[in-house]
Amino acid sequence: MTTLTTATTLHTPAVGTAHTRIEGRDKVTGAARYAGEVPFADLAHGWLVLSTVARGRIRDLDTESVLAMPGVLAVLEHRNAPRLTTDYTSLLGMRPDPTCAVFQHDRVPHLGWPVALVVAETSEQAREAAETLVVHYEQEPHDVGFGAGHPDAYAADGHMPAVTEKGDLDAELAAAAVVVDAEYTTPEEHHHPMEPHAATARWDGGRLEVTDSNQGATWVVGELANLFSLDPAAVRVRSEHVGGGFGSKGVRAHQVAAVMAATVLQRPVRVVLTRRQMFSLAGYRSPTVQHVRLGADTDGHLRALAHRSLSQTATGYEFVESSAGVARVMYDADAHHTANRVVRLDVPSPTFMRAPGEAPGSFALEAALDELAEKCGIDPIELRLRNEPDRGPVSGLPFAGRNLAACLREGARRFGWGERDPRPGRRREGRLLLGTGMAAASFPAGAMPSTASATAHPDGTFTVRISAADIGTGARTALTLVAADALRTSPERVRVRIGDSDFGPAMIAGGSMGTRSWAWAIRVAAGELRERLALGTGIPPEGITVRSDTTEAIGALAAAERHSYGAQFAEVAVDPGTGEVRVRRMLGVFAAGRIVNPLTARNQLRGGMIWGISMALHEEAVRDRVSGGHVGADLAGYHVATHADVPRIEADWIEDTDPDDPVGIKGIGEIGIVGAAAAVANAVWHATGVRHRSLPIRPDRILAAAAEAPDA
Ligand code: MOS
């Protein structure tokens, strides 16, 4: 037995100091194994066969010849696959995404729908056989035509109420001295994390074990247990390293198909998605059409604010890209109307994608604010400051720390906003037109119940276990710093183990709530462990373990408007000859709670801002109305910002410790992208004098708009 004295030694806080990723060396040397690489004895490989029609029925599959091909073990399809339970409530009270419930019927709801899984001894054999499989369809006419005038659009809730209405909108718009009435559009966008989705399923002594790449083991266990009617305790999901998620890595077709095949064959089966398959199986961000109307007095005071958004969803599933939600937080008005609407089309279900709602919503709202500033002759930052609400514009709840104004002022100072000539089209450099723009940002700051355990070992080290997912954010490292402080020890003495559902239920890496929710649970467990050790208790060989559950503490939080905030600034150069827009520099200043690890936090925020550049200028998945599928469904056809597109980007923050969180955290996963595209678009207007209300701002759009401009 050893007695530990760390509790009384002087402790230098680890939270707030830069720390490189704990698993960084493993990742760059290849020692870190991802879901598709973990070796298993007797492993079989499944390859999904996707539909080539956008709507209809499967009439037949010529499985016989495929079964005779080398190495082929099975072909699972709707006539022979195990039955699933699908009438349960999933995450956020939603129904399970029917894309997961594969091989249950002969209907084809969209192009790229899984119609079969071919399982073989090797991945190559499975692929060869899958590509040979002939599927006969009864094709039906499909509709993938998203647009503002679609007759079947309806108001839909999603994760927030569909409609909010306060005051007489028409009266306030009529009484307003200045009105902006504009439509903004954003295209279909895809997450495409670096690591494709991959899962291996196997039965081990009556327990289902899934080695997976996901954003939350607890989530995947829950869905698989429901779908396969299993006791959740009989399912174990592990995901040690995850190469990005952004909302796309929940339960999807490949895990379910892998479990089915492992069950039928009684051996481990791996299913990996290809980059192309991800376009129809991994979810995506819906395109949006957003109508924003603002009415203001000459001093910029908002009398009217209306934000209506339309997005698309699948025929069998309702997912809402809640773009109008951001207006419910950002600005008040005497008349304040917001609505989220959807239209059901023959397309895959969209899903959560980094800052769902806020990312496209902030583009429309913050671009409209810029138009209003121009019309009022008021500086866009001053316009926002004049419209700072003192309570939630829709909820009426108090704000729990709203530091937007501080972000705007600090950002303006650092960016050199004061020297800006507000008139557009004035700055030139050779043939280039230069401009600057800004936008404001907010994203919800919440916490969800989690459980954790902390163990003290006789050698003076500690192990913390939590079913967290580090999807590339640096969560593992941040949690180590939090644990070290709670234990009053150094991070080197703490091992944080994550990515295993057997560690108990915990929040997913999502909604910018992962690190905060996990840190809270770790703080409680580690804090209690330290108190136990302070009593001078001896530590037995198996250690002393304390468990925590934050359900009660988080449930006791008072209702309030809880958000992170940010101010985004961009400078662009536009080439009027080629239509090319290049971002020259960006600055983001955020109020996002206490920053646990400045190194990885800056990385997160900059990543969001880079995605904003990508959203403003590059990303667009083009759906072909005739086939119902994508044109160029790969990373050659789907453009994203790469090194040459990304200039000097500065992300920084102001002091914003959350008083209601034990560590002071708010969450930084999503705020970085919010407003970033609007800042770029507003800078393009400042450079050229032309408003671009449709993303991405492609060269052809710059050239077409310039040709139409009156002084062209
Ligand atoms: Mo995120 S879209 O909450 O993974």
Side-chain angles (χ1 to χ4, degrees):
M1 300 267 267
T2 321
T3 304
L4 216 73
T5 52
T6 44
T8 52
T9 57
L10 208 62
H11 173 72
T12 315
V15 169
T17 63
H19 202 297
T20 54
R21 282 162 207 273
I22 283 157
E23 77 287 5
R25 189 186 166 82
D26 284 351
K27 280 182 173 169
V28 297
T29 57
R33 288 195 197 272
Y34 289 83
E37 307 173 318
V38 179
F40 289 97
D42 203 28
L43 181 64
H45 299 261
W47 200 276
L48 285 166
V49 180
L50 307 188
S51 73
T52 53
V53 303
R55 187 183 167 108
R57 283 180 185 277
I58 304 162
R59 198 151 41 79
D60 200 9
L61 301 98
D62 297 344
T63 53
E64 214 165 296
S65 56
V66 164
L67 282 165
M69 289 178 70
V72 173
L73 300 165
V75 179
L76 292 179
E77 31 102 355
H78 67 279
R79 296 172 299 196
N80 64 359
R83 297 297 100 185
L84 299 170
T85 304
T86 54
D87 56 340
Y88 64 92
T89 303
S90 181
L91 196 78
L92 291 165
M94 294 166 60
R95 307 270 301 163
D97 187 333
T99 310
C100 317
V102 291
F103 318 141
Q104 300 299 294
H105 53 73
D106 63 353
R107 290 188 307 283
V108 175
H110 62 76
L111 193 129
W113 170 260
V115 295
L117 181 80
V118 177
V119 192
E121 294 290 348
T122 71
S123 174
E124 291 78 7
Q125 289 168 334
R127 179 176 199 163
E128 177 73 10
E131 288 173 357
T132 308
L133 179 66
V134 175
V135 183
H136 304 273
Y137 300 97
E138 233 166 71
Q139 206 171 341
E140 296 166 11
H142 62 260
D143 177 9
V144 300
F146 178 74
H150 204 289
D152 300 335
Y154 62 96
D157 287 348
H159 65 288
M160 60 177 71
V163 176
T164 64
E165 288 186 355
K166 178 178 85 176
D168 187 335
L169 186 70
D170 292 336
E172 294 297 340
L173 280 169
V178 185
V179 171
V180 170
D181 184 333
E183 191 174 271
Y184 302 84
T185 71
T186 62
E188 180 177 323
E189 298 162 350
H190 287 254
H191 319 69
H192 280 290
M194 285 285 276
E195 180 206 12
H197 298 56
T200 305
R202 70 191 172 108
W203 285 95
D204 183 23
R207 265 194 114 192
L208 176 64
E209 290 245 9
V210 181
T211 304
D212 187 29
S213 177
N214 64 57
Q215 292 179 231
T218 304
W219 181 12
V220 178
V221 165
E223 299 277 326
L224 292 178
N226 275 311
L227 286 165
F228 289 92
S229 304
L230 298 168
D231 178 354
V235 185
R236 183 182 193 185
V237 172
R238 278 181 285 185
S239 50
E240 175 76 28
H241 299 288
V242 181
F246 311 115
S248 75
K249 283 185 179 162
V251 175
R252 312 220 65 101
H254 65 292
Q255 293 122 319
V256 178
V259 173
M260 281 181 172
T263 305
V264 169
L265 294 169
Q266 285 299 309
R267 59 185 275 194
V269 177
R270 172 171 298 159
V271 180
V272 179
L273 297 188
T274 66
R275 193 57 74 182
R276 276 177 186 277
Q277 289 176 336
M278 284 165 67
F279 274 89
S280 70
L281 294 180
Y284 62 96
R285 192 194 307 282
S286 167
T288 71
V289 179
Q290 300 178 63
H291 186 194
V292 181
R293 282 173 291 170
L294 303 174
D297 296 329
T298 49
D299 66 355
H301 164 77
L302 279 169
R303 299 183 72 112
L305 185 162
H307 190 166
R308 269 163 76 95
S309 171
L310 177 69
S311 60
Q312 75 185 25
T313 187
T315 50
Y317 187 65
E318 189 183 84
F319 179 86
V320 186
E321 182 74 25
S322 304
S323 303
V326 70
R328 300 172 188 176
V329 175
M330 291 301 283
Y331 308 106
D332 203 354
D334 303 307
H336 191 289
H337 288 205
T338 62
N340 292 309
R341 306 169 80 235
V342 293
V343 57
R344 290 176 186 257
L345 298 173
D346 300 310
V347 295
S349 320
T351 192
F352 301 101
M353 177 163 143
R354 202 174 196 176
E358 277 78 2
S362 66
F363 163 64
L365 183 64
E366 294 297 313
L369 259 284
D370 206 61
E371 298 198 34
L372 183 66
E374 177 198 357
K375 285 194 171 181
C376 290
I378 298 172
D379 178 80
I381 294 178
E382 178 60 25
L383 176 70
R384 286 166 174 85
L385 292 172
R386 287 185 193 178
N387 283 289
E388 265 292 275
D390 49 14
R391 300 185 88 74
V394 170
S395 69
L397 291 169
F399 284 103
R402 180 178 170 107
N403 280 325
L404 175 57
C407 294
L408 291 168
R409 292 198 176 100
E410 174 64 6
R413 187 187 68 75
R414 286 178 55 168
F415 194 74
W417 189 259
E419 289 127 53
R420 179 186 191 248
D421 182 341
R423 297 169 299 174
R426 297 291 166 132
R427 278 177 69 202
R428 282 169 193 271
E429 188 185 277
R431 64 174 187 177
L432 300 177
L433 302 170
L434 306 185
T436 53
M438 58 76 56
S442 76
F443 194 81
M448 295 291 273
S450 295
T451 65
S453 74
T455 302
H457 303 289
D459 64 356
T461 66
F462 301 88
T463 302
V464 168
R465 292 177 175 85
I466 186 158
S467 181
D470 188 333
I471 59 175
T473 58
R476 185 190 270 104
T477 310
L479 297 178
T480 305
L481 304 185
V482 168
D485 280 5
L487 292 161
R488 298 276 197 279
T489 188
S490 69
E492 290 67 39
R493 288 188 167 207
V494 181
R495 272 176 307 273
V496 172
R497 296 196 48 207
I498 62 170
D500 187 340
S501 63
D502 274 5
F503 296 155
M507 176 56 182
I508 63 166
S512 299
M513 290 187 273
T515 295
R516 180 183 179 182
S517 304
W518 304 321
W520 195 323
I522 289 172
R523 170 86 166 210
V524 172
E528 281 174 24
L529 178 60
R530 189 168 56 86
E531 281 170 26
R532 288 264 295 273
L533 297 174
L535 300 173
T537 330
I539 302 177
E542 72 275 15
I544 298 176
T545 297
V546 171
R547 290 178 200 286
S548 67
D549 183 343
T550 57
T551 307
E552 226 173 281
I554 287 168
L557 277 176
E561 289 280 358
R562 300 178 184 278
H563 309 273
S564 293
Y565 299 92
Q568 305 266 17
F569 295 82
E571 178 171 332
V572 302
V574 181
D575 186 330
T578 64
E580 186 183 18
V581 178
R582 299 199 70 89
V583 176
R584 290 203 158 178
R585 63 184 175 118
M586 276 187 96
L587 168 70
V589 175
F590 302 94
R594 188 167 174 212
I595 299 303
V596 177
N597 182 359
L599 196 64
T600 48
R602 191 161 274 121
N603 180 276
Q604 272 288 94
L605 295 167
R606 285 173 46 138
M609 293 167 72
I610 290 167
W611 206 337
I613 296 176
S614 204
M615 181 179 167
L617 303 179
H618 308 291
E619 292 189 38
E620 178 175 34
V622 179
R623 212 168 262 284
D624 170 33
R625 294 199 176 196
V626 176
S627 73
H630 289 112
V631 178
D634 51 46
L635 290 186
Y638 186 82
H639 294 180
V640 297
T642 54
H643 275 87
D645 303 301
V646 179
R648 189 155 59 87
I649 294 189
E650 265 185 282
D652 214 339
W653 45 83
I654 60 167
E655 162 61 36
D656 184 53
T657 299
D658 188 319
D660 295 327
D661 183 86
V663 190
I665 301 173
K666 274 188 176 173
I668 54 168
E670 285 156 293
I671 186 75
I673 191 177
V674 184
V680 173
N682 294 341
V684 170
W685 165 77
H686 189 235
T688 63
V690 179
R691 292 286 175 188
H692 284 270
R693 301 187 183 94
S694 289
L695 298 185
I697 306 173
R698 301 185 310 247
D700 63 299
R701 284 180 164 157
I702 293 278
L703 294 177
E708 280 168 22
D711 58 348

